[in-house]
């Protein structure tokens, strides 16, 4: 079979990317061309010079006003980050700016004075506690302990200091969570060999190591206690980045954490920010030949490909195990391969060495069409945006095609060394989320159930016939504490059916649940093919004699089934029954939520105001309520 050919420019290589960014800087067009920056930075993010390259580029980007970028590109909302610490942290700004820019987020950084961390954390009127602060980074190092020790010191002195410091940090974290509005980011403290070698006996060194690890463990546990506290564990980052510090810079300029380690720290912070902004990826699309197995199926046949039992085969088996591990945590797995469909399906279903099996995938696409088109078709089939996709392939051409044609897709370029496939796939934490829910674990099965729904739709004469046969059941009820992680996740990750795109962290949802003036409703659905679980939410607030809807959200998996009409119809009836004279709502446009622009008018809301950016305000007079769709069985329960 002759494969269709698509010719497009590939992504820029390292030298081209650097030259392009420098040229944009020289010409003063970095703000105007900011949407192109993530693609250029993707060419710099890995390899032996990545740390230096990103730092260099980040310094240029840091000179651009984040507000100007936002003014030119409304979807590029700046992230306000305060930085405070014990040592000198000048080396953090560059990589942090670059790592956030890789995800389309401009940085607005506010840096504290040298060794001002304790004063900053105590100052509830300071920048760490400001209402517009998104992340408050308090970057600590081992010297914060050793600088306070008497001379000479013993292990008992360190243990006492560690206990006191942990208690202090616990009190300060509790205050921040109580009075701040952002997320506080702390980190574990690396213990250096130099510190241990101040002790000459092995027993004392062992005791110090144990005490130090217990302190770091206690610090990590704080993140499990406080919903708006995140602790970056520096230990695995040190293993990746090499020396913690340069001893000369540590002594002369108080740089107690080295530039490369701070670069890795900046990447972890960017992953956290990406999750907070709802930009976590949802789908991993993998190639087959030289990606999941060694060899070319069309040339070597099923018996000639390897994924176990040989030097290279074991590397592919390990990669498959990693992919399956991701799939078990809610990442949707799919195949996109230049192959014939039937042989591929036989191998996935029956090859004795395959780790991944048909039930692990929501889609297997094997044909000779261009892969960019296949990815777009898959996105339509899953009802997801292509910006939810990560594409892993060993072919430079295919990676270049997808990167150039669909820049929203995160491209993981694999190569001829399969032992590095795992590292390359996991390096950017594309699927990182604040908290995994049971809905995440069930997601793949729910998408596979959609195959039955598609078959039913294809066989129906009309949409009405399909919906009647589907048997949609909708439950609308006040949310519970157990629903909080999922509700927060819906606000963070739902982009298409999202009226106002207000993002809520778990602590924000908790606060709304605890407020007597707010109404938080969980929307659940099921049909003849299974239980879809918690698929949507309504956030509303009593405002005088009106009920104001702050946001309405619905998972893209269940669009166009009448669920939103049923849920809002129930809410309008509840508002009227409890004495409200009107229900207010708003639509705030983004690049992705145009589908819900007409939702309110379709339910009888009147337009009460418009703005130049396309935002709309609505009012429902409650004189005539919309009918519940006849194919929906609705159960609605409210607390008056």
């Amino acid at each position: 079979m002759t494969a269709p050919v698509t010719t497009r420019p590939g992504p820029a290589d390292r030298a081209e990317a650097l030259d392009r960014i420098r040229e944009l800087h020289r010409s003063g067009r970095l703000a105007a061309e900011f949407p192109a920056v993530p693609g250029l930075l993707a060419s710099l993010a890995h390899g032996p010079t990545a740390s230096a390259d990103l730092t260099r580029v980040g310094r240029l980007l840091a000179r651009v006003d984040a507000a100007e970028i936002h003014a030119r590109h409304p979807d590029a909302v700046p992230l306000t980050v305060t930085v405070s610490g014990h040592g000198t942290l000048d080396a953090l700004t560059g990589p942090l700016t670059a790592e956030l820019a890789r995800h389309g987020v401009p940085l607005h950084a506010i840096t504290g004075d040298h060794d001002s961390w304790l004063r900053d954390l105590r100052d509830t009127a300071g920048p760490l506690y400001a209402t517009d602060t998104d992340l408050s980074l308090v970057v600590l190092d081992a010297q914060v302990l050793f600088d306070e020790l008497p001379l000479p010191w013993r292990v008992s002195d360190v243990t006492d200091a560690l206990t006191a410091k942990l208690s202090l940090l616990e009190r300060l974290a509790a205050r921040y969570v109580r009075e701040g509005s952002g997320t506080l980011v702390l980190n574990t403290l690396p213990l250096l060999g130099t510190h241990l070698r101040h002790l000459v006996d092995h027993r004392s060194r062992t005791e110090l190591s144990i005490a130090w690890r217990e302190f770091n463990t206690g610090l990590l546990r704080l993140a499990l206690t406080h919903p708006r506290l995140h602790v970056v564990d520096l230990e695995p980052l040190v293993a990746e980045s090499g020396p913690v510090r340069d001893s000369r810079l540590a002594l002369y300029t108080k740089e107690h954490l080295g530039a490369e380690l701070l670069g890795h720290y900046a990447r972890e912070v960017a992953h956290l920010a990406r999750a907070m902004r709802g930009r976590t990826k949802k789908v991993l699309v993998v190639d087959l030949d030289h990606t999941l197995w060694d060899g070319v199926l069309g040339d070597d046949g099923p018996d000639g490909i390897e994924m176990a039992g040989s030097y290279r085969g074991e590397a592919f088996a390990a990669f498959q195990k990693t992919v399956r591990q991701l799939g078990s945590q809610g990442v949707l797995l799919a195949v996109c391969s230049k192959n014939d469909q039937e042989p591929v399906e036989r191998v996935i279903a029956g090859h004795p060495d395959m780790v991944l099996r048909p039930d692990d995938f929501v889609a297997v696409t094997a044909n000779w069409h261009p892969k960019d088109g296949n990815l777009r078709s898959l996105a339509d089939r899953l009802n997801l945006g292509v910006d939810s996709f990560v594409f892993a392939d060993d072919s430079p051409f295919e990676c270049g095609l997808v990167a150039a044609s669909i820049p929203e897709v995160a491209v993981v370029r694999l190569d001829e060394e399969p032992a590095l496939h795992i590292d390359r796939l996991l390096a950017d934490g594309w699927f990182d989320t604040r908290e995994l829910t049971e809905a995440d674990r069930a997601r793949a099965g729910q998408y596979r159930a959609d195959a039955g729904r598609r078959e039913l739709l294809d066989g129906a004469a009309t949409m009405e016939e399909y919906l009647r046969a589907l048997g949609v059941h909708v439950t609308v009820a006040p949310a519970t504490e157990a629903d909080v992680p999922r509700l927060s996740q819906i606000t963070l990750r739902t982009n298409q059916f999202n009226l106002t795109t207000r993002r809520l962290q778990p602590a924000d949802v908790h606060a709304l649940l605890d407020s007597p003036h707010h109404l938080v409703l969980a929307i659940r659905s099921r049909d003849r093919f299974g239980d879809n679980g918690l698929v949507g939410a309504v956030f509303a607030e009593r405002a005088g004699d009106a009920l104001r809807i702050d946001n309405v959200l619905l998972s893209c998996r269940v669009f166009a089934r009448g669920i939103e009409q049923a849920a809002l119809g129930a809410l309008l009836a509840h508002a009227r029954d409890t004495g409200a004279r009107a229900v207010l709502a708003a639509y705030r446009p983004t690049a992705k939520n145009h589908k819900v622009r007409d939702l309110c008018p379709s339910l009888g809301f009147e337009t009460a105001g418009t703005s130049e950016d396309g935002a709309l305000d609505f009012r429902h007079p409650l004189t005539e309520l919309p009918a519940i769709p006849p194919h929906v069985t609705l159960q609605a329960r409210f607390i008056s």
Side-chain angles (χ1 to χ4, degrees):
M1 181 180 294
T2 303
V5 175
T6 301
T7 303
R8 287 181 181 272
D13 62 20
R14 172 181 174 272
E16 291 172 339
L18 285 172
D19 288 344
R20 176 63 174 157
I21 291 173
R22 290 187 185 114
E23 190 274 328
L24 290 174
H25 168 67
R26 284 193 297 268
S27 61
R29 291 186 292 123
L30 270 174
E33 300 292 334
F34 189 75
V37 169
L40 296 170
L41 294 180
S43 303
L44 308 177
H46 301 286
T49 62
S51 179
D53 288 342
L54 290 175
T55 297
R56 187 178 302 115
V57 169
R59 287 171 182 157
L60 298 180
L61 290 168
R63 301 175 189 175
V64 181
D65 185 1
E68 180 186 354
I69 295 174
H70 181 48
R72 292 174 176 268
H73 313 285
D75 285 339
V77 180
L79 189 82
T80 299
V81 179
T82 62
V83 180
S84 186
H86 175 62
T88 300
L89 296 170
D90 294 344
L92 179 58
T93 302
L96 185 58
T97 305
E99 291 290 354
L100 288 169
R102 288 184 61 204
H103 308 298
V105 179
L107 171 64
H108 174 220
I110 301 171
T111 303
D113 297 331
H114 175 76
D115 196 21
S116 63
W117 72 274
L118 185 54
R119 183 185 69 222
D120 292 342
L121 264 178
R122 285 173 168 165
D123 182 10
T124 56
L128 270 67
Y129 289 83
T131 56
D132 61 345
T133 294
D134 297 299
L135 290 176
S136 293
L137 309 184
V138 176
V139 187
L140 302 179
D141 55 78
Q143 288 305 127
V144 77
L145 269 299
F146 285 101
D147 285 351
E148 297 177 356
L149 296 181
L151 189 65
W153 53 266
R154 298 184 178 183
V155 174
S156 58
D157 297 314
V158 180
T159 302
D160 291 344
L162 288 169
T163 301
K165 194 67 68 180
L166 183 60
S167 178
L168 172 63
L169 288 171
E170 185 170 10
R171 293 195 303 273
L172 292 171
R175 174 187 290 180
Y176 185 91
V177 170
R178 186 172 61 251
E179 301 187 36
S181 59
T183 294
L184 175 64
V185 181
L186 302 176
N187 58 272
T188 60
L189 309 186
L191 180 65
L192 304 180
T194 303
H195 298 137
L196 286 172
R197 286 190 285 271
H198 277 74
L199 300 167
V200 298
D201 67 297
H202 288 238
R203 181 180 180 86
S204 294
R205 291 178 183 177
T206 301
E207 290 174 346
L208 177 56
S209 293
I210 291 171
W212 203 269
R213 283 167 173 78
E214 288 175 343
F215 167 82
N216 280 335
T217 299
L219 200 57
L220 289 166
R221 284 201 178 103
L222 291 181
L224 301 179
T225 304
H226 300 294
R228 284 192 290 107
L229 170 64
H230 183 80
V231 178
V232 177
D233 189 357
L234 292 190
E235 184 174 341
L237 305 187
V238 170
E240 294 175 350
S241 64
V244 172
R245 68 181 189 184
D246 182 308
S247 296
R248 295 164 298 178
L249 294 178
L251 184 63
Y252 297 135
T253 64
K254 308 305 179 186
E255 295 180 44
H256 300 306
L257 298 176
E260 188 174 355
L261 176 56
L262 287 176
H264 283 72
Y265 170 86
R267 182 162 296 187
E268 291 297 307
V269 172
H271 295 173
L272 173 63
R274 185 179 61 207
M276 292 173 59
R277 286 287 176 87
R279 300 190 180 191
T280 295
K281 303 294 185 179
K282 300 176 182 177
V283 186
L284 172 59
V285 184
V286 292
D287 180 39
L288 294 177
D289 297 334
H290 299 306
T291 297
L292 290 190
W293 57 61
D294 196 18
V296 178
L297 178 59
D299 295 338
D300 303 322
D303 295 331
I305 60 175
E306 294 183 350
M307 57 205 91
S310 69
Y311 181 75
R312 284 173 59 84
E314 292 297 331
F316 289 97
F319 183 65
Q320 285 199 35
K321 291 176 182 178
T322 297
V323 171
R324 191 174 189 187
Q325 173 69 14
L326 293 175
S328 72
Q329 299 169 88
V331 177
L332 303 179
L333 306 180
V335 165
C336 184
S337 171
K338 290 285 182 69
N339 263 301
D340 292 320
Q341 187 78 21
E342 186 179 356
V344 163
E345 291 180 348
R346 286 201 304 268
V347 167
I348 294 176
H351 196 289
D353 294 331
M354 277 291 296
V355 174
L356 293 159
R357 292 300 185 186
D359 284 350
D360 292 309
F361 298 103
V362 296
V364 175
T365 302
N367 57 39
W368 299 95
H369 300 301
K371 290 193 176 183
D372 55 342
N374 280 336
L375 291 180
R376 289 192 178 94
S377 297
L378 177 59
D380 290 340
R381 178 178 172 185
L382 297 178
N383 206 6
L384 292 170
V386 289
D387 60 344
S388 298
F389 282 38
V390 175
F391 173 66
D393 199 306
D394 69 292
S395 165
F397 172 80
E398 302 293 358
C399 289
L401 168 67
V402 171
S405 178
I406 323 177
E408 301 93 338
V409 174
V411 176
V412 178
R413 165 74 170 92
L414 308 175
D415 60 22
E416 65 279 355
E417 178 46 76
L420 299 179
H421 283 8
I422 294 173
D423 292 343
R424 292 177 188 270
L425 176 62
L426 301 180
D428 282 309
W430 292 114
F431 307 105
D432 288 3
T433 184
R434 291 293 299 272
E435 183 176 353
L436 199 66
T437 68
E438 287 306 312
D440 291 322
R441 298 186 189 278
R443 184 176 295 115
Q446 291 169 343
Y447 271 90
R448 284 194 294 271
D450 283 344
R453 297 183 180 97
R454 285 192 297 271
E455 185 177 344
L456 179 65
L457 177 60
D458 291 342
T462 64
M463 179 60 71
E464 290 75 17
E465 178 184 322
Y466 161 70
L467 291 172
R468 285 196 302 270
L470 189 59
V472 179
H473 290 253
V474 175
T475 300
V476 179
T480 66
E481 289 291 320
D483 296 329
V484 168
R486 173 61 177 155
L487 289 172
S488 171
Q489 185 183 74
I490 287 175
T491 73
L492 294 173
R493 300 175 69 171
T494 299
N495 296 307
Q496 297 181 63
F497 201 109
N498 191 331
L499 272 182
T500 60
T501 61
R502 181 186 175 195
R503 310 298 185 182
L504 300 176
Q505 301 302 322
D508 301 321
V509 179
H510 272 292
L512 294 176
L513 282 182
D514 293 338
S515 169
H517 306 295
H518 286 84
L519 183 64
V520 181
L521 299 176
I523 304 172
R524 291 175 166 83
S525 78
R526 58 184 173 86
D527 56 43
R528 61 182 286 184
F529 293 100
D531 190 347
N532 292 301
L534 202 166
V535 295
V538 178
F539 297 91
E541 180 183 6
R542 279 286 184 178
D545 60 357
L547 180 72
R548 185 179 66 237
I549 297 175
D550 294 325
N551 205 1
V552 180
L553 307 103
L554 192 68
S555 169
C556 56
R557 289 191 294 110
V558 295
F559 281 177
R561 298 181 194 173
I563 295 171
E564 61 272 28
Q565 290 87 351
L568 285 176
L571 178 66
L572 292 171
H574 169 71
R576 186 181 65 179
D577 293 345
T578 54
R581 298 175 63 88
V583 173
L584 311 177
Y587 165 73
R588 300 292 179 256
T590 69
K592 300 173 185 175
N593 73 345
H594 60 276
K595 289 185 177 182
V596 295
R597 185 183 187 279
D598 298 324
L599 173 65
C600 288
S602 73
L603 295 172
F605 282 81
E606 303 165 349
T607 302
T610 62
S611 61
E612 292 183 358
D613 64 356
L616 300 171
D617 292 315
F618 300 107
R619 182 181 185 276
H620 199 296
L622 298 178
T623 53
E624 184 176 348
L625 301 184
I628 303 300
H631 66 274
V632 173
T633 300
L634 173 66
Q635 290 180 308
R637 177 173 57 85
F638 297 90
I639 298 176
S640 299

